[in-house]
Short mmCIF file of all heavy atoms in Angstrom, two decimals:
data_model
loop_
_atom_site.label_atom_id
_atom_site.label_comp_id
_atom_site.label_asym_id
_atom_site.label_seq_id
_atom_site.Cartn_x
_atom_site.Cartn_y
_atom_site.Cartn_z
N GLN A 246 -122.94 -15.21 124.98
CA GLN A 246 -122.38 -16.26 125.62
C GLN A 246 -120.99 -15.96 126.19
O GLN A 246 -120.60 -16.36 127.30
CB GLN A 246 -122.33 -17.46 124.73
CG GLN A 246 -123.63 -18.07 124.34
CD GLN A 246 -123.58 -19.11 123.28
OE1 GLN A 246 -122.58 -19.17 122.56
NE2 GLN A 246 -124.70 -19.83 123.04
N GLN A 248 -119.92 -13.01 127.08
CA GLN A 248 -120.11 -12.21 128.22
C GLN A 248 -120.52 -13.09 129.46
O GLN A 248 -120.11 -12.77 130.59
CB GLN A 248 -121.27 -11.06 128.05
CG GLN A 248 -120.74 -9.98 127.13
CD GLN A 248 -121.86 -9.02 126.83
OE1 GLN A 248 -123.03 -9.14 127.34
NE2 GLN A 248 -121.57 -7.91 126.02
N ALA A 249 -121.47 -14.00 129.25
CA ALA A 249 -121.89 -14.86 130.35
C ALA A 249 -120.66 -15.61 130.89
O ALA A 249 -120.62 -15.83 132.20
CB ALA A 249 -122.98 -15.77 129.88
N ARG A 250 -119.83 -16.09 130.06
CA ARG A 250 -118.63 -16.84 130.59
C ARG A 250 -117.75 -16.03 131.46
O ARG A 250 -117.25 -16.52 132.52
CB ARG A 250 -117.87 -17.57 129.49
CG ARG A 250 -118.52 -18.85 129.00
CD ARG A 250 -117.57 -19.54 128.05
NE ARG A 250 -117.22 -18.79 126.82
CZ ARG A 250 -118.08 -18.81 125.68
NH1 ARG A 250 -119.13 -19.48 125.62
NH2 ARG A 250 -117.63 -18.20 124.68
N GLN A 251 -117.58 -14.76 131.11
CA GLN A 251 -116.72 -13.86 131.88
C GLN A 251 -117.34 -13.58 133.21
O GLN A 251 -116.54 -13.32 134.11
CB GLN A 251 -116.53 -12.55 131.02
CG GLN A 251 -115.78 -12.69 129.81
CD GLN A 251 -115.71 -11.29 129.02
OE1 GLN A 251 -116.32 -10.35 129.28
NE2 GLN A 251 -114.90 -11.41 127.91
N LEU A 252 -118.58 -13.62 133.31
CA LEU A 252 -119.29 -13.28 134.58
C LEU A 252 -119.55 -14.51 135.46
O LEU A 252 -120.28 -14.30 136.46
CB LEU A 252 -120.56 -12.51 134.24
CG LEU A 252 -120.41 -11.15 133.47
CD1 LEU A 252 -121.65 -10.55 133.02
CD2 LEU A 252 -119.39 -10.17 134.20
N VAL A 253 -119.17 -15.70 135.08
CA VAL A 253 -119.47 -16.89 135.81
C VAL A 253 -118.98 -16.84 137.30
O VAL A 253 -119.66 -17.30 138.17
CB VAL A 253 -118.90 -18.12 135.17
CG1 VAL A 253 -118.91 -19.27 136.03
CG2 VAL A 253 -119.55 -18.34 133.85
N SER A 254 -117.91 -16.07 137.50
CA SER A 254 -117.35 -16.12 138.84
C SER A 254 -118.30 -15.57 139.94
O SER A 254 -118.26 -15.97 141.06
CB SER A 254 -116.06 -15.23 138.90
OG SER A 254 -116.36 -13.91 138.49
N GLN A 255 -119.11 -14.71 139.61
CA GLN A 255 -120.07 -14.11 140.66
C GLN A 255 -121.51 -14.63 140.23
O GLN A 255 -121.92 -14.30 139.11
CB GLN A 255 -119.98 -12.71 140.85
CG GLN A 255 -118.64 -12.27 141.24
CD GLN A 255 -118.52 -10.76 141.26
OE1 GLN A 255 -119.57 -10.11 141.33
NE2 GLN A 255 -117.31 -10.25 141.48
N GLU A 256 -122.12 -15.36 141.06
CA GLU A 256 -123.44 -15.91 140.64
C GLU A 256 -124.51 -14.86 140.28
O GLU A 256 -125.17 -15.06 139.36
CB GLU A 256 -124.02 -16.78 141.83
CG GLU A 256 -125.17 -17.56 141.43
CD GLU A 256 -125.67 -18.50 142.56
OE1 GLU A 256 -124.74 -18.90 143.28
OE2 GLU A 256 -126.77 -18.87 142.57
N ALA A 257 -124.63 -13.77 141.01
CA ALA A 257 -125.63 -12.74 140.76
C ALA A 257 -125.29 -12.13 139.39
O ALA A 257 -126.20 -11.91 138.60
CB ALA A 257 -125.53 -11.74 141.82
N ILE A 258 -124.10 -11.89 139.19
CA ILE A 258 -123.67 -11.20 137.88
C ILE A 258 -123.83 -12.14 136.75
O ILE A 258 -124.35 -11.88 135.70
CB ILE A 258 -122.22 -10.74 137.98
CG1 ILE A 258 -122.13 -9.69 138.95
CG2 ILE A 258 -121.84 -10.18 136.61
CD1 ILE A 258 -120.80 -9.14 139.27
N TYR A 259 -123.52 -13.38 137.06
CA TYR A 259 -123.82 -14.49 136.04
C TYR A 259 -125.24 -14.57 135.61
O TYR A 259 -125.60 -14.70 134.46
CB TYR A 259 -123.23 -15.75 136.48
CG TYR A 259 -123.62 -17.03 135.65
CD1 TYR A 259 -122.91 -17.20 134.48
CD2 TYR A 259 -124.62 -17.80 136.03
CE1 TYR A 259 -123.37 -18.25 133.64
CE2 TYR A 259 -125.02 -18.87 135.16
CZ TYR A 259 -124.37 -19.17 134.03
OH TYR A 259 -124.67 -20.13 133.20
N LEU A 260 -126.18 -14.57 136.63
CA LEU A 260 -127.59 -14.71 136.34
C LEU A 260 -128.01 -13.45 135.43
O LEU A 260 -128.84 -13.64 134.55
CB LEU A 260 -128.48 -14.82 137.62
CG LEU A 260 -128.14 -16.19 138.30
CD1 LEU A 260 -128.99 -16.08 139.67
CD2 LEU A 260 -128.63 -17.39 137.41
N ALA A 262 -126.15 -11.73 133.40
CA ALA A 262 -125.64 -11.86 132.08
C ALA A 262 -126.46 -12.84 131.34
O ALA A 262 -126.71 -12.69 130.03
CB ALA A 262 -124.10 -12.23 132.20
#
Side-chain angles (χ1 to χ4, degrees):
Q246 289 170 349
Q248 287 177 359
R250 279 193 298 273
Q251 290 174 358
L252 301 174
V253 169
S254 62
Q255 298 176 11
E256 190 172 334
I258 297 173
Y259 171 75
L260 291 175

